[in-house]
Coordinates of all heavy atoms in Angstrom, one line a residue:
M1452 N -8.2 -13.1 8.5 CA -7.6 -12.3 9.5 C -8.5 -11.2 9.9 O -9.2 -10.6 9.1 CB -6.3 -11.6 8.8 CG -5.7 -10.6 9.6 SD -4.3 -9.9 8.7 CE -4.0 -8.5 9.8
P1453 N -8.7 -11.0 11.3 CA -9.7 -10.0 11.7 C -9.1 -8.6 11.4 O -8.0 -8.3 11.8 CB -9.8 -10.3 13.2 CG -8.8 -11.4 13.5 CD -8.1 -11.9 12.3
L1454 N -9.9 -7.8 10.8 CA -9.5 -6.5 10.4 C -10.0 -5.4 11.4 O -9.4 -4.3 11.4 CB -9.9 -6.2 9.0 CG -9.4 -7.0 7.9 CD1 -10.0 -6.7 6.5 CD2 -7.9 -7.0 7.8
Q1455 N -10.9 -5.8 12.2 CA -11.5 -4.7 13.1 C -10.5 -4.1 14.1 O -10.5 -2.9 14.3 CB -12.7 -5.3 13.9 CG -13.5 -4.3 14.5 CD -14.1 -3.3 13.5 OE1 -14.7 -3.7 12.4 NE2 -14.1 -2.0 13.8
P1456 N -9.5 -4.8 14.6 CA -8.5 -4.2 15.5 C -7.7 -3.1 14.7 O -7.4 -2.1 15.3 CB -7.6 -5.3 15.9 CG -8.5 -6.6 15.9 CD -9.4 -6.3 14.6
L1457 N -7.5 -3.4 13.5 CA -6.7 -2.3 12.6 C -7.7 -1.1 12.4 O -7.3 0.0 12.5 CB -6.3 -2.9 11.3 CG -5.2 -3.9 11.5 CD1 -4.9 -4.5 10.1 CD2 -3.9 -3.3 12.0
A1458 N -9.0 -1.4 12.2 CA -9.9 -0.3 11.9 C -10.1 0.5 13.2 O -10.3 1.7 13.1 CB -11.2 -0.9 11.4
D1459 N -10.1 -0.1 14.3 CA -10.2 0.6 15.5 C -8.9 1.3 16.1 O -9.0 2.0 17.0 CB -10.7 -0.4 16.6 CG -12.0 -1.0 16.3 OD1 -12.8 -0.3 15.5 OD2 -12.4 -2.0 16.9
A1460 N -7.8 1.0 15.5 CA -6.5 1.6 16.0 C -6.5 3.1 15.9 O -7.2 3.7 15.1 CB -5.4 1.1 15.2
A1461 N -5.9 3.7 16.9 CA -5.9 5.2 17.0 C -4.9 5.8 16.2 O -4.8 7.0 16.0 CB -5.6 5.5 18.5
W1462 N -4.1 5.0 15.5 CA -3.0 5.6 14.6 C -3.4 5.6 13.2 O -4.3 4.9 12.8 CB -1.7 4.8 14.8 CG -1.8 3.4 14.5 CD1 -1.8 2.8 13.3 CD2 -2.0 2.3 15.5 NE1 -2.1 1.4 13.4 CE2 -2.1 1.2 14.8 CE3 -2.0 2.3 16.9 CZ2 -2.3 -0.1 15.4 CZ3 -2.1 1.1 17.5 CH2 -2.3 -0.1 16.8
P1463 N -2.8 6.5 12.4 CA -3.1 6.5 11.0 C -2.6 5.2 10.3 O -1.6 4.6 10.7 CB -2.3 7.7 10.5 CG -1.3 8.0 11.4 CD -1.7 7.4 12.7
T1464 N -3.3 4.8 9.2 CA -3.0 3.6 8.5 C -2.7 3.9 7.0 O -3.4 4.8 6.4 CB -4.0 2.5 8.6 OG1 -5.2 3.0 8.3 CG2 -4.0 2.0 10.1
L1465 N -1.8 3.2 6.4 CA -1.5 3.5 5.0 C -1.1 2.1 4.3 O -0.3 1.4 4.9 CB -0.2 4.5 5.0 CG 0.5 4.7 3.5 CD1 -0.6 5.4 2.6 CD2 1.7 5.4 3.7
I1466 N -1.7 1.9 3.2 CA -1.3 0.7 2.4 C -0.6 1.2 1.2 O -1.2 2.0 0.4 CB -2.6 -0.1 2.1 CG1 -3.1 -0.7 3.5 CG2 -2.3 -1.3 1.2 CD1 -4.4 -1.5 3.3
I1467 N 0.5 0.7 0.9 CA 1.3 1.1 -0.3 C 1.5 -0.1 -1.2 O 1.8 -1.2 -0.8 CB 2.7 1.6 0.2 CG1 2.7 2.8 1.1 CG2 3.6 1.9 -1.1 CD1 4.0 3.2 1.7
T1468 N 1.1 0.1 -2.4 CA 1.3 -0.9 -3.5 C 1.9 -0.3 -4.7 O 1.8 1.0 -4.9 CB 0.0 -1.6 -3.9 OG1 -0.9 -0.7 -4.5 CG2 -0.7 -2.3 -2.7
G1469 N 2.4 -1.1 -5.6 CA 2.7 -0.6 -6.9 C 1.4 -0.5 -7.8 O 0.4 -0.9 -7.4
T1470 N 1.6 0.1 -8.9 CA 0.4 0.1 -9.9 C 0.5 -1.1 -10.8 O -0.4 -1.3 -11.5 CB 0.5 1.4 -10.7 OG1 1.8 1.5 -11.4 CG2 0.4 2.7 -9.9
W1471 N 1.6 -1.7 -10.8 CA 1.9 -2.9 -11.6 C 2.1 -2.6 -13.1 O 2.1 -3.4 -14.0 CB 0.8 -4.0 -11.5 CG 1.1 -4.6 -10.1 CD1 0.7 -4.1 -8.9 CD2 1.9 -5.8 -9.8 NE1 1.2 -5.0 -7.8 CE2 1.9 -6.0 -8.4 CE3 2.5 -6.7 -10.6 CZ2 2.5 -7.0 -7.8 CZ3 3.2 -7.8 -10.0 CH2 3.2 -7.9 -8.6
E1472 N 2.2 -1.3 -13.4 CA 2.5 -0.9 -14.8 C 3.9 -1.4 -15.1 O 4.8 -1.3 -14.3 CB 2.5 0.6 -14.9 CG 1.1 1.2 -14.7 CD 1.1 2.7 -14.5 OE1 2.2 3.3 -14.5 OE2 0.0 3.3 -14.3
G1473 N 4.2 -1.9 -16.3 CA 5.5 -2.4 -16.7 C 5.7 -3.8 -16.3 O 6.8 -4.3 -16.7
A1474 N 4.9 -4.4 -15.5 CA 5.1 -5.8 -15.1 C 4.8 -6.7 -16.3 O 3.9 -6.4 -17.1 CB 4.3 -6.1 -13.9
P1475 N 5.4 -7.8 -16.4 CA 5.1 -8.8 -17.5 C 3.6 -9.1 -17.4 O 3.1 -9.2 -16.3 CB 5.9 -10.0 -17.2 CG 7.1 -9.4 -16.4 CD 6.6 -8.3 -15.6
E1476 N 2.9 -9.2 -18.5 CA 1.5 -9.5 -18.5 C 1.0 -10.6 -17.6 O 0.0 -10.3 -16.8 CB 1.1 -9.7 -19.9 CG -0.3 -10.5 -20.2 CD -1.5 -9.7 -19.7 OE1 -1.5 -8.4 -19.8 OE2 -2.5 -10.4 -19.4
A1477 N 1.6 -11.7 -17.6 CA 1.1 -12.8 -16.8 C 1.4 -12.5 -15.3 O 0.5 -12.8 -14.5 CB 1.8 -14.1 -17.1
Y1478 N 2.5 -11.9 -15.0 CA 2.8 -11.5 -13.6 C 1.8 -10.5 -13.1 O 1.2 -10.6 -11.9 CB 4.2 -11.0 -13.6 CG 4.8 -10.7 -12.2 CD1 4.5 -11.6 -11.1 CD2 5.6 -9.7 -12.0 CE1 5.1 -11.4 -9.8 CE2 6.2 -9.4 -10.7 CZ 5.9 -10.3 -9.7 OH 6.5 -10.1 -8.4
R1479 N 1.4 -9.6 -13.9 CA 0.4 -8.6 -13.6 C -0.9 -9.2 -13.3 O -1.6 -8.9 -12.4 CB 0.3 -7.4 -14.6 CG -0.6 -6.3 -14.3 CD -0.6 -5.2 -15.2 NE -0.8 -5.6 -16.6 CZ 0.1 -5.6 -17.6 NH1 1.3 -5.2 -17.3 NH2 -0.2 -6.0 -18.8
R1480 N -1.3 -10.1 -14.3 CA -2.7 -10.7 -14.1 C -2.8 -11.6 -13.0 O -3.8 -11.6 -12.2 CB -3.0 -11.5 -15.5 CG -4.4 -12.0 -15.5 CD -4.7 -12.8 -16.7 NE -4.0 -12.4 -17.9 CZ -3.3 -13.3 -18.6 NH1 -3.3 -14.6 -18.3 NH2 -2.6 -13.0 -19.6
Y1481 N -1.8 -12.5 -12.7 CA -1.9 -13.5 -11.7 C -1.3 -13.1 -10.4 O -1.7 -13.7 -9.3 CB -1.2 -14.8 -12.1 CG -1.9 -15.4 -13.4 CD1 -1.2 -15.4 -14.6 CD2 -3.2 -15.8 -13.3 CE1 -1.8 -16.0 -15.7 CE2 -3.8 -16.3 -14.5 CZ -3.1 -16.5 -15.6 OH -3.7 -17.0 -16.7
A1482 N -0.5 -12.0 -10.3 CA 0.0 -11.6 -9.0 C -0.5 -10.2 -8.7 O -1.1 -9.9 -7.6 CB 1.5 -11.7 -8.9
G1483 N -0.3 -9.3 -9.6 CA -0.6 -7.9 -9.4 C -2.1 -7.6 -9.1 O -2.4 -6.9 -8.2
E1484 N -2.9 -8.1 -10.1 CA -4.4 -7.7 -9.9 C -4.9 -8.3 -8.6 O -5.6 -7.6 -7.9 CB -5.1 -8.3 -11.1 CG -4.7 -7.4 -12.4 CD -5.3 -7.9 -13.7 OE1 -6.3 -8.8 -13.6 OE2 -5.0 -7.5 -14.7
P1485 N -4.6 -9.6 -8.2 CA -5.2 -10.0 -6.9 C -4.5 -9.2 -5.8 O -5.3 -8.9 -4.8 CB -4.7 -11.5 -6.8 CG -4.5 -11.9 -8.3 CD -3.9 -10.7 -9.0
L1486 N -3.3 -8.9 -5.8 CA -2.7 -8.1 -4.7 C -3.3 -6.7 -4.6 O -3.6 -6.1 -3.5 CB -1.2 -8.0 -4.9 CG -0.4 -9.2 -4.5 CD1 1.1 -9.0 -5.0 CD2 -0.5 -9.6 -3.1
L1487 N -3.6 -6.1 -5.8 CA -4.3 -4.7 -5.8 C -5.7 -4.8 -5.3 O -6.1 -4.0 -4.5 CB -4.3 -4.2 -7.2 CG -2.9 -3.7 -7.7 CD1 -3.0 -3.3 -9.2 CD2 -2.3 -2.6 -6.9
A1488 N -6.4 -5.9 -5.6 CA -7.8 -6.1 -5.1 C -7.8 -6.3 -3.6 O -8.6 -5.8 -2.9 CB -8.4 -7.3 -5.8
A1489 N -6.8 -7.1 -3.1 CA -6.7 -7.3 -1.7 C -6.4 -6.0 -0.9 O -7.0 -5.7 0.1 CB -5.7 -8.4 -1.4
A1490 N -5.5 -5.2 -1.5 CA -5.1 -4.0 -0.9 C -6.3 -3.0 -0.8 O -6.5 -2.3 0.2 CB -3.9 -3.4 -1.6
D1491 N -7.0 -2.9 -1.9 CA -8.2 -2.1 -1.9 C -9.2 -2.5 -0.9 O -9.8 -1.7 -0.2 CB -8.8 -2.0 -3.3 CG -8.0 -1.2 -4.3 OD1 -7.2 -0.4 -3.9 OD2 -8.2 -1.5 -5.5
F1492 N -9.5 -3.8 -0.8 CA -10.4 -4.4 0.1 C -10.0 -4.1 1.6 O -10.9 -3.6 2.3 CB -10.5 -5.9 -0.1 CG -11.5 -6.6 0.9 CD1 -12.8 -6.7 0.7 CD2 -10.9 -7.1 2.1 CE1 -13.7 -7.2 1.5 CE2 -11.7 -7.7 3.0 CZ -13.1 -7.8 2.8
I1493 N -8.8 -4.3 1.9 CA -8.3 -4.1 3.3 C -8.3 -2.6 3.6 O -8.8 -2.2 4.7 CB -6.9 -4.7 3.5 CG1 -7.0 -6.2 3.4 CG2 -6.3 -4.2 4.8 CD1 -5.7 -7.0 3.3
A1494 N -7.8 -1.8 2.7 CA -7.9 -0.3 2.9 C -9.3 0.2 3.1 O -9.5 0.9 4.1 CB -7.2 0.4 1.8
D1495 N -10.2 -0.3 2.4 CA -11.6 0.0 2.6 C -12.1 -0.4 4.0 O -12.8 0.4 4.6 CB -12.5 -0.5 1.5 CG -13.9 -0.1 1.6 OD1 -14.2 1.1 1.5 OD2 -14.8 -1.0 1.7
R1496 N -11.8 -1.6 4.3 CA -12.4 -2.2 5.6 C -11.8 -1.4 6.8 O -12.4 -1.4 7.8 CB -12.1 -3.6 5.7 CG -12.9 -4.5 4.7 CD -14.4 -4.3 4.9 NE -15.2 -5.2 4.1 CZ -15.6 -5.0 2.9 NH1 -15.3 -3.9 2.2 NH2 -16.4 -5.9 2.3
I1497 N -10.5 -1.0 6.7 CA -9.9 -0.5 7.9 C -9.8 1.1 7.8 O -9.3 1.7 8.8 CB -8.5 -1.1 8.2 CG1 -7.5 -0.7 7.1 CG2 -8.6 -2.6 8.4 CD1 -6.0 -1.1 7.5
G1498 N -10.2 1.6 6.8 CA -10.2 3.1 6.6 C -8.8 3.6 6.4 O -8.5 4.8 6.8
A1499 N -8.0 2.8 5.8 CA -6.6 3.2 5.5 C -6.5 4.1 4.3 O -7.3 4.0 3.3 CB -5.7 2.0 5.3
E1500 N -5.4 5.0 4.3 CA -5.1 5.7 3.1 C -4.5 4.6 2.1 O -4.0 3.6 2.6 CB -4.1 6.7 3.4 CG -4.6 7.9 4.2 CD -3.4 8.8 4.5 OE1 -2.8 9.4 3.5 OE2 -3.1 9.0 5.7
R1501 N -4.5 5.0 0.9 CA -4.0 4.1 -0.2 C -3.0 4.9 -1.0 O -3.4 5.9 -1.6 CB -5.2 3.6 -1.0 CG -5.0 2.5 -1.9 CD -4.8 1.1 -1.2 NE -4.9 0.2 -2.3 CZ -3.9 -0.1 -3.1 NH1 -2.8 0.5 -2.9 NH2 -4.2 -1.0 -4.1
L1502 N -1.8 4.4 -1.2 CA -0.9 5.0 -2.0 C -0.4 4.0 -3.1 O 0.0 2.9 -2.8 CB 0.5 5.4 -1.2 CG 1.6 6.0 -2.1 CD1 1.2 7.3 -2.8 CD2 2.8 6.2 -1.2
R1503 N -0.7 4.5 -4.3 CA -0.3 3.6 -5.5 C 0.9 4.2 -6.2 O 0.8 5.3 -6.6 CB -1.5 3.4 -6.5 CG -2.7 2.7 -5.9 CD -3.9 3.0 -6.7 NE -5.1 2.3 -6.2 CZ -5.8 2.8 -5.3 NH1 -5.6 4.0 -4.7 NH2 -6.9 2.1 -4.8
V1504 N 2.0 3.5 -6.2 CA 3.3 3.9 -6.6 C 3.5 3.4 -8.0 O 3.4 2.2 -8.2 CB 4.4 3.5 -5.6 CG1 5.7 4.0 -6.1 CG2 4.1 4.2 -4.3
P1505 N 3.9 4.1 -8.9 CA 4.2 3.5 -10.3 C 5.2 2.4 -10.2 O 6.2 2.5 -9.5 CB 4.8 4.8 -11.1 CG 4.2 6.0 -10.3 CD 4.1 5.6 -8.9
G1506 N 5.0 1.4 -10.9 CA 5.8 0.3 -11.0 C 5.2 -0.9 -10.2 O 4.1 -0.9 -9.9
F1507 N 6.0 -2.0 -10.1 CA 5.5 -3.2 -9.4 C 6.4 -3.6 -8.2 O 6.0 -4.5 -7.5 CB 5.2 -4.3 -10.4 CG 6.3 -4.7 -11.3 CD1 7.1 -5.9 -11.0 CD2 6.6 -4.1 -12.4 CE1 8.1 -6.3 -11.8 CE2 7.6 -4.5 -13.3 CZ 8.4 -5.6 -12.9
Y1508 N 7.5 -2.9 -8.0 CA 8.3 -3.1 -6.8 C 8.5 -1.7 -6.2 O 9.6 -1.1 -6.3 CB 9.6 -3.8 -7.0 CG 9.5 -5.2 -7.4 CD1 10.1 -5.7 -8.6 CD2 8.9 -6.1 -6.6 CE1 10.0 -7.0 -8.9 CE2 8.8 -7.4 -6.9 CZ 9.4 -7.8 -8.1 OH 9.3 -9.2 -8.4
P1509 N 7.4 -1.1 -5.6 CA 7.5 0.3 -5.2 C 8.7 0.6 -4.3 O 9.3 1.8 -4.5 CB 6.2 0.6 -4.5 CG 5.6 -0.7 -4.2 CD 6.2 -1.7 -5.2
H1510 N 9.0 -0.2 -3.3 CA 10.1 0.1 -2.4 C 11.5 0.1 -3.1 O 12.4 0.8 -2.6 CB 10.1 -0.9 -1.2 CG 10.2 -2.3 -1.7 ND1 9.2 -3.0 -2.4 CD2 11.3 -3.2 -1.6 CE1 9.6 -4.2 -2.6 NE2 10.8 -4.4 -2.2
T1511 N 11.6 -0.6 -4.2 CA 12.9 -0.5 -4.9 C 12.9 0.4 -6.1 O 13.9 1.0 -6.5 CB 13.4 -1.9 -5.3 OG1 12.4 -2.5 -6.2 CG2 13.6 -2.8 -4.1
E1512 N 11.7 0.5 -6.8 CA 11.6 1.3 -8.0 C 11.4 2.8 -7.7 O 11.8 3.7 -8.4 CB 10.5 0.8 -8.9 CG 10.8 -0.6 -9.5 CD 9.7 -1.1 -10.3 OE1 8.5 -1.0 -9.8 OE2 9.8 -1.6 -11.4
Q1513 N 10.7 3.1 -6.5 CA 10.4 4.5 -6.2 C 10.7 4.7 -4.7 O 9.8 5.1 -3.9 CB 8.9 4.8 -6.4 CG 8.5 4.6 -7.8 CD 9.0 5.7 -8.8 OE1 9.3 6.8 -8.3 NE2 9.0 5.4 -10.0
P1514 N 12.0 4.4 -4.2 CA 12.2 4.4 -2.8 C 12.0 5.8 -2.2 O 11.5 5.9 -1.0 CB 13.7 4.0 -2.7 CG 14.3 4.2 -4.0 CD 13.1 4.0 -5.0
T1515 N 12.3 6.9 -2.9 CA 12.1 8.2 -2.3 C 10.6 8.4 -2.1 O 10.3 8.9 -1.0 CB 12.7 9.3 -3.3 OG1 14.0 9.0 -3.5 CG2 12.5 10.7 -2.7
L1516 N 9.8 8.1 -3.0 CA 8.3 8.3 -2.8 C 7.8 7.5 -1.7 O 7.0 7.9 -0.8 CB 7.6 7.9 -4.1 CG 6.2 8.5 -4.3 CD1 6.0 8.7 -5.8 CD2 5.2 7.7 -3.7
V1517 N 8.2 6.2 -1.6 CA 7.7 5.3 -0.5 C 8.3 5.8 0.9 O 7.6 6.0 1.9 CB 8.2 3.9 -0.7 CG1 8.0 3.0 0.5 CG2 7.5 3.3 -2.0
N1518 N 9.6 6.2 0.9 CA 10.1 6.7 2.2 C 9.5 8.0 2.6 O 9.3 8.2 3.8 CB 11.7 6.8 2.1 CG 12.4 5.5 2.0 OD1 11.9 4.4 2.5 ND2 13.5 5.4 1.4
D1519 N 9.2 8.9 1.7 CA 8.6 10.1 2.0 C 7.2 9.8 2.6 O 6.8 10.5 3.6 CB 8.4 11.1 0.8 CG 9.8 11.7 0.5 OD1 10.8 11.6 1.2 OD2 9.8 12.3 -0.7
A1520 N 6.5 9.0 2.0 CA 5.1 8.6 2.5 C 5.2 8.0 3.9 O 4.3 8.3 4.8 CB 4.4 7.6 1.6
L1521 N 6.2 7.1 4.1 CA 6.4 6.5 5.5 C 6.8 7.5 6.6 O 6.2 7.6 7.6 CB 7.4 5.4 5.4 CG 6.9 4.1 4.6 CD1 8.1 3.2 4.5 CD2 5.7 3.5 5.3
R1522 N 7.7 8.5 6.1 CA 8.0 9.5 7.1 C 6.8 10.4 7.5 O 6.6 10.7 8.6 CB 9.1 10.4 6.5 CG 10.5 9.9 6.8 CD 11.6 10.9 6.5 NE 11.8 11.1 5.0 CZ 12.5 10.2 4.3 NH1 13.1 9.2 4.8 NH2 12.7 10.4 3.0
D1523 N 6.0 10.7 6.4 CA 4.7 11.5 6.7 C 3.8 10.7 7.6 O 3.2 11.3 8.6 CB 4.1 11.8 5.4 CG 2.8 12.6 5.7 OD1 2.9 13.8 6.3 OD2 1.8 12.2 5.3
L1524 N 3.7 9.4 7.4 CA 2.8 8.6 8.2 C 3.3 8.6 9.7 O 2.5 8.8 10.6 CB 2.7 7.2 7.7 CG 1.9 6.1 8.5 CD1 0.5 6.4 8.4 CD2 2.3 4.7 8.0
W1525 N 4.6 8.4 9.9 CA 5.1 8.4 11.2 C 5.0 9.7 11.9 O 4.7 9.7 13.1 CB 6.6 7.8 11.1 CG 6.7 6.4 10.6 CD1 5.8 5.4 10.9 CD2 7.8 5.9 9.9 NE1 6.3 4.3 10.3 CE2 7.5 4.5 9.7 CE3 9.0 6.4 9.5 CZ2 8.3 3.7 9.0 CZ3 9.8 5.6 8.7 CH2 9.5 4.3 8.5
R1526 N 5.2 10.8 11.1 CA 5.1 12.1 11.7 C 3.6 12.3 12.2 O 3.4 12.8 13.3 CB 5.5 13.1 10.7 CG 5.5 14.5 11.1 CD 6.1 15.6 10.1 NE 5.8 15.2 8.7 CZ 6.7 14.8 7.9 NH1 8.0 14.7 8.2 NH2 6.4 14.4 6.6
R1527 N 2.7 11.9 11.4 CA 1.2 12.1 11.8 C 0.9 11.1 13.0 O 0.1 11.6 13.9 CB 0.4 11.8 10.6 CG 0.4 12.8 9.5 CD -0.6 12.6 8.5 NE -0.2 11.6 7.6 CZ -0.9 10.5 7.2 NH1 -2.1 10.4 7.7 NH2 -0.5 9.6 6.5
A1528 N 1.5 9.9 13.0 CA 1.3 9.0 14.2 C 1.9 9.7 15.5 O 1.3 9.6 16.5 CB 1.9 7.7 13.9
D1529 N 3.0 10.2 15.3 CA 3.7 10.9 16.5 C 2.8 12.0 17.0 O 2.6 12.3 18.2 CB 5.0 11.4 16.2 CG 6.1 10.3 16.2 OD1 5.8 9.2 16.7 OD2 7.2 10.6 15.6
A1530 N 2.3 12.8 16.0 CA 1.4 14.0 16.4 C 0.1 13.6 17.1 O -0.4 14.2 17.9 CB 1.2 14.8 15.2
A1531 N -0.4 12.4 16.7 CA -1.7 11.9 17.2 C -1.5 11.2 18.6 O -2.4 11.1 19.3 CB -2.3 10.9 16.3
A1532 N -0.2 10.9 18.9 CA 0.0 10.2 20.2 C -0.1 11.0 21.4 O 0.0 12.3 21.4 CB 1.4 9.5 20.1

């Protein structure tokens, strides 16, 4: 997937993942670690902020934290427009 269009975008970018703490060992090793590595790689390449939320299903385990981060992102995007 070409990442340059995202890197060149005029709006703020944010990648949210869990920390994978508390996930079953095999699930963390075979799913969590590759997903975290991919998120770090993409965030680095496009200049995105990175939010690591405790747990492994951040949108369901920490919905307030995730929703607050999204609201802040949208507020900043509106201000930049």
